[in-house]
């Protein structure tokens, strides 16, 4: 059984047939432009079996047989199962590739949703999963596709980045996996590809849904582009040229935004992609248009699609507020994660939902005797710090790190025989607990310390107190708070116990915390 959508030409080898000079020149010029990036990378060709992708596959076969292409790309065909004949289409593509002696892999895909974007996302996901890290995916998008893309984004209200259209070379990341999308035919017209397919008598699949007009792209192709061509026959080339000019402009804008971001980012508070923080005072010193560009760039980090203009405007308004009501929360559902944007004092935070969930994990009080903390080889200068987990999830681990050899020196016990009566106690800060930091003149309650130290509301349950406890000669337990920690900062505490002040403050120097993120989803 066959499919009526397949152009009824016989499947025959096409390597020896004449190639198209115009199409070949565009491909070879693009290959020369990205030659350094292509070196030593495996190349795959996404082939739906339609006219454009089958024509690109045919050209690659011809260039390979002519010695102008050192390696023949391997074809990837994704079967969504959305069309009744999809299995026949997959078998047809595999049969054609076999006739050309071209490697071909058929990949089944499950589509979540019913729109064009869902099918596109499923295609890329399944191909990305099949390909290796940093592999190149060759795509047959052409100038007509580019013009339709620019018009689609124009009516959606896109900015410079969106209106620059598809890029000929773009690195696409999904978590830790990276692949490259290569489009060498963005300057080639659909009519030229059609003429080439007719000359070769390519038995391509003419998907009937491409001309129905029931999605934005096919509607523009069927109804709008012919009307625009009446006003200017060169409309496709002109829109493509505009996209290239806007791409150059977008590169300039991005470079400026990246430079501004470097100047306004608060490095000590960054935990990408979970938490990103800007300095509001430095942001306000920029011209207004650069503030918008910076916020657009800042918000869109770690996301494949940019934020909406309304969100950028709302965040800009939040940064400009002069009142002390910092309870405002802005929400953004990105493609990868959901985010909350908040301001605390002169800091602007973009917090992922995963990060906020992590901050709600309770911290359990712990007590460790020094005899259990100090490593056996205490005489070694290179003794590794002992790590004590404070809060742990699948993606983020917060640890207390203690230098064991430092403890031995502080106890004036070179042999390493640490008494069992001395311990480190770790527990969350109580709002009523009174502590005195080394730089303050008097003790303050935990509630007051939140304000004094500038701790944002969502981080206040993540303050911990590290104390040293020991038994004195009368076997009375004495607890000396030595350190206050948050995931991003530390404060040495002061004690009124003169006998222990120096030892406790010195010990605090050798204790720190470490935040490790394995967030790759």
């Amino acid at each position: 059984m066959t499919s009526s959508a397949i152009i009824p030409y016989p499947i025959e080898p096409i390597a020896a047939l004449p190639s198209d000079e115009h199409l070949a020149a565009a491909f070879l010029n693009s290959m020369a432009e990205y030659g350094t990036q292509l070196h030593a990378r495996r190349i795959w060709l996404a082939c739906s079996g339609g006219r454009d992708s089958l024509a690109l596959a045919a050209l690659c076969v011809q260039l390979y047989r002519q010695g102008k292409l050192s390696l023949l790309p391997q074809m990837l065909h994704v079967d969504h199962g959305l069309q009744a004949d999809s299995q026949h289409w997959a078998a047809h593509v595999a049969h054609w590739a076999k006739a050309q002696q071209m490697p071909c892999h058929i990949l089944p895909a499950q589509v979540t949703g019913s729109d064009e974007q869902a099918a596109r996302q499923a295609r890329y996901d399944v191909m990305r999963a099949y390909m290796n890290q940093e592999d190149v995916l060759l795509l047959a998008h052409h100038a007509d596709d580019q013009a339709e893309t620019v018009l689609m984004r124009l009516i959606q209200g896109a900015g410079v980045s969106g209106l620059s259209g598809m890029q000929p070379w773009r690195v696409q990341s999904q978590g830790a996996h990276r692949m490259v999308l290569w489009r060498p035919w963005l300057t080639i017209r659909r009519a030229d590809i059609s003429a080439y397919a007719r000359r070769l008598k390519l038995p391509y699949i003419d998907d009937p849904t491409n001309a129905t007009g029931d999605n934005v792209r096919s509607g523009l192709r069927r109804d709008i582009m012919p009307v625009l061509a009446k006003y200017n026959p060169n409309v496709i080339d002109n829109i493509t040229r505009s996209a290239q000019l806007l791409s150059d402009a977008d590169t300039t804008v991005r470079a400026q935004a990246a430079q501004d971001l470097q100047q306004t980012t608060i490095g000590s508070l960054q935990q990408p992609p979970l938490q990103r923080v800007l300095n509001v005072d430095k942001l306000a010193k920029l011209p207004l248009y650069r503030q918008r560009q910076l916020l657009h760039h800042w918000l869109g980090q770690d996301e494949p699609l940019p934020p909406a203009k309304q969100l950028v405007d709302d965040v800009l308004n939040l940064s400009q507020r002069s009142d002390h009501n910092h309870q405002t929360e802005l929400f953004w559902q990105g493609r990868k994660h959901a985010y909350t944007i908040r301001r605390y004092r002169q800091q602007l935070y973009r917090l992922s939902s995963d990060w906020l969930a992590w901050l709600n994990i309770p911290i359990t009080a712990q007590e460790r005797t020094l005899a259990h903390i100090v490593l056996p080889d205490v005489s070694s200068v290179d003794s590794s710090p002992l790590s004590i987990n404070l809060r742990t999830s699948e993606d983020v681990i917060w640890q207390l790190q203690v230098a064991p050899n430092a403890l031995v020196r502080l106890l004036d016990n070179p042999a390493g025989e640490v008494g069992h009566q001395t311990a480190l106690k770790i527990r969350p800060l109580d709002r009523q607990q009174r502590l005195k930091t080394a730089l303050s003149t008097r003790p303050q309650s935990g509630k007051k310390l939140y304000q004094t130290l500038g701790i944002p509301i969502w981080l206040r349950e993540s303050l911990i107190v590290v104390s040293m406890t020991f038994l004195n000669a009368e076997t009375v337990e004495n607890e000396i708070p030595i350190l206050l920690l948050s995931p991003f900062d530390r404060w040495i505490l002061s004690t009124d116990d003169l006998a222990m002040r120096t030892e406790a403050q010195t010990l605090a120097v050798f204790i720190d915390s470490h935040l490790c993120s394995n967030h790759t989803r």
Side-chain angles (χ1 to χ4, degrees), residues 308-328:
K309 180 181 181 298
Q310 185 60 56
L311 177 64
V312 175
D313 289 342
D314 290 342
V315 175
L316 179 61
N317 290 335
L318 180 61
S319 73
Q320 294 173 335
R321 289 175 60 163
S322 58
D323 57 58
H324 297 287
N325 179 10
H326 297 320
Q327 302 298 316
T328 302

Side-chain angles (χ1 to χ4, degrees), residues 283-301:
L283 174 67
K285 292 179 180 179
L286 297 174
L288 193 58
Y289 74 94
R290 279 171 57 184
Q291 291 185 44
R292 288 196 180 94
Q293 292 168 358
L294 170 57
L295 291 175
H296 183 275
H297 181 72
W298 176 69
L299 289 166
Q301 293 175 106

Side-chain angles (χ1 to χ4, degrees), residues 214-233:
D214 57 2
N215 60 60
V216 176
R217 183 178 292 276
S218 64
L220 287 172
R221 182 179 306 160
R222 186 189 68 179
D223 303 326
I224 305 302
M225 298 307 295
V227 175
L228 293 178
K230 291 181 180 179
Y231 289 95
N232 189 328

Side-chain angles (χ1 to χ4, degrees), residues 41-311:
R41 280 179 163 170
R42 179 179 295 182
I43 301 176
W44 307 82
L45 193 156
C47 184
S48 66
R51 174 195 52 223
D52 305 331
S53 59
L54 205 65
L56 182 57
L59 182 69
C60 287
V61 170
Q62 292 177 326
L63 293 177
Y64 177 70
R65 305 305 178 198
Q66 295 168 12
K68 297 178 181 178
L69 195 60
S70 59
L71 292 172
L72 194 60
Q74 298 189 49
M75 286 173 52
L76 294 177
H77 175 85
V78 178
D79 181 4
H80 302 92
L82 296 178
Q83 301 286 341
D85 290 344
S86 65
Q87 290 184 335
H88 300 297
W89 295 354
H92 175 75
V93 170
H95 186 194
W96 184 88
K98 184 177 180 180
Q100 316 309 323
Q101 299 181 18
M102 190 174 192
C104 180
H105 309 269
I106 307 299
L107 308 178
Q110 296 293 325
V111 180
T112 303
S114 57
D115 60 357
E116 182 184 12
Q117 178 61 34
R120 178 179 178 274
Q121 186 65 43
R123 285 198 300 274
Y124 280 117
D125 286 347
V126 73
M127 287 189 289
R128 184 187 301 107
Y130 194 83
M131 296 164 59
N132 294 325
Q133 181 82 307
E134 303 289 350
D135 282 358
V136 176
L137 184 62
L138 184 57
L139 300 166
H141 294 130
H142 47 71
D144 297 64
D145 292 328
Q146 181 76 299
E148 292 161 7
T149 297
V150 172
L151 286 178
M152 284 173 59
R153 295 179 179 177
L154 179 64
I155 62 179
Q156 292 167 351
V160 174
S161 179
L163 295 178
S164 64
M166 296 177 286
Q167 302 305 305
W169 184 273
R170 186 171 76 85
V171 177
Q172 186 185 75
S173 300
Q174 180 71 27
H177 194 279
R178 288 159 52 93
M179 71 175 183
V180 177
L181 305 183
W182 179 29
R183 301 179 176 97
W185 272 359
L186 287 181
T187 59
I188 296 295
R189 292 292 306 276
R190 179 184 287 123
D192 295 330
I193 298 173
S194 297
Y196 173 60
R198 286 194 299 271
R199 287 197 300 273
L200 293 186
K201 296 183 178 180
L202 289 180
Y204 64 85
I205 301 166
D206 188 12
D207 187 346
T209 63
N210 287 336
T212 59
D214 57 2
N215 60 60
V216 176
R217 183 178 292 276
S218 64
L220 287 172
R221 182 179 306 160
R222 186 189 68 179
D223 303 326
I224 305 302
M225 298 307 295
V227 175
L228 293 178
K230 291 181 180 179
Y231 289 95
N232 189 328
N234 298 319
V235 62
I236 300 294
D237 294 334
N238 290 344
I239 294 177
T240 303
R241 183 171 61 253
S242 294
Q244 179 58 57
L245 294 172
L246 287 167
S247 178
D248 294 341
D250 181 50
T251 300
T252 302
V253 169
R254 287 177 180 270
Q256 180 65 71
Q259 182 178 342
D260 289 341
L261 182 64
Q262 188 175 12
Q263 298 300 319
T264 55
T265 291
I266 303 176
S268 61
L269 298 179
Q270 302 304 306
Q271 190 63 28
L274 304 172
Q275 173 171 293
R276 293 187 180 273
V277 190
L278 289 182
N279 184 302
V280 171
D281 291 331
K282 292 182 178 180
L283 174 67
K285 292 179 180 179
L286 297 174
L288 193 58
Y289 74 94
R290 279 171 57 184
Q291 291 185 44
R292 288 196 180 94
Q293 292 168 358
L294 170 57
L295 291 175
H296 183 275
H297 181 72
W298 176 69
L299 289 166
Q301 293 175 106
D302 317 305
E303 284 292 325
L305 297 178
K309 180 181 181 298
Q310 185 60 56
L311 177 64

